[in-house]
Amino acid sequence: MEKHESNLACMQEALRLANQAKDCSEVPVGAVVVRDSMIIGTGFNQNIAMHSVTAHAEMNAINEASKFLKNYRLINCDIYVTLEPCHMCAKAIIDARIKNLYFATPEPKSGAVISIDNLLDKNFLNHRVRYHHGLLQQESSELLKNFFSARRG
């Protein structure tokens, strides 16, 4: 697996994966799971290709990282995502025991972290995920806007 030293490099890799999704006519979202400065899981949206509602970038990256570690618990791992996670993905991030979530841009229609819900801040959770957003926000937002504009145009 590839070693990365900075948050920026990790989010750039997630953005590269989002572009890969776009090239496959999937909604351009990418994600990477990192442990000890090493990317151990990658994913991009593949709902159409995998015929699965659960084939979001985060789910694919978490599954790959879990296989790499041979453990469904991703202790001391961080996840970088180009778009704010939905409820399904946010819950998977919690259940995987991921330490930090970094996402580039908010998702006003279904974002479960800061937009339509604050799932990660709920008191009933048995694991706390710290979250940060805004890194490469403009690039991620433009990629999504251009993708949907092209589909509508």
Side-chain angles (χ1 to χ4, degrees):
M1 293 285 163
E2 199 173 332
K3 212 163 175 130
H4 285 281
E5 296 301 324
S6 75
N7 289 346
L8 180 60
C10 294
M11 192 61 83
Q12 286 171 328
E13 180 61 14
L15 195 58
R16 187 190 69 72
L17 290 161
N19 275 293
Q20 195 171 335
K22 179 194 72 154
D23 293 343
C24 298
S25 299
E26 301 271 3
V27 175
V29 179
V32 298
V33 175
V34 177
R35 185 172 183 188
D36 298 327
S37 301
M38 183 181 295
I39 292 176
I40 61 168
T42 62
F44 58 88
N45 276 3
Q46 292 184 286
N47 302 88
I48 298 166
M50 295 178 84
H51 310 289
S52 174
V53 70
T54 64
H56 288 193
E58 301 95 322
M59 302 296 275
N60 293 334
I62 287 168
N63 286 334
E64 189 173 283
S66 295
K67 288 176 185 167
F68 179 81
L69 292 177
K70 296 180 178 40
N71 194 336
Y72 69 97
R73 294 239 168 117
L74 302 178
I75 306 295
N76 294 318
C77 292
D78 298 329
I79 190 166
Y80 295 79
V81 189
T82 59
L83 184 64
E84 178 182 2
C86 66
H87 280 95
M88 174 183 68
C89 293
K91 186 65 167 80
I93 289 166
I94 294 163
D95 290 346
R97 306 296 195 266
I98 288 177
K99 187 175 184 176
N100 292 292
L101 160 66
Y102 299 88
F103 64 91
T105 194
E107 169 41 284
K109 293 182 179 177
S110 64
V113 179
I114 62 170
S115 293
I116 65 162
D117 196 1
N118 303 99
L119 182 61
L120 301 183
D121 295 326
K122 302 294 184 193
N123 289 329
F124 62 81
L125 296 173
N126 62 343
H127 174 73
R128 289 278 182 217
V129 177
R130 292 183 300 220
Y131 58 90
H132 322 269
H133 64 92
L135 186 61
L136 297 183
Q137 180 174 346
Q138 183 175 346
E139 293 85 342
S140 179
S141 180
E142 284 178 12
L143 177 63
L144 287 156
K145 284 177 189 169
N146 292 340
F147 175 81
F148 286 112
S149 288
R151 290 187 85 181
R152 284 190 288 272

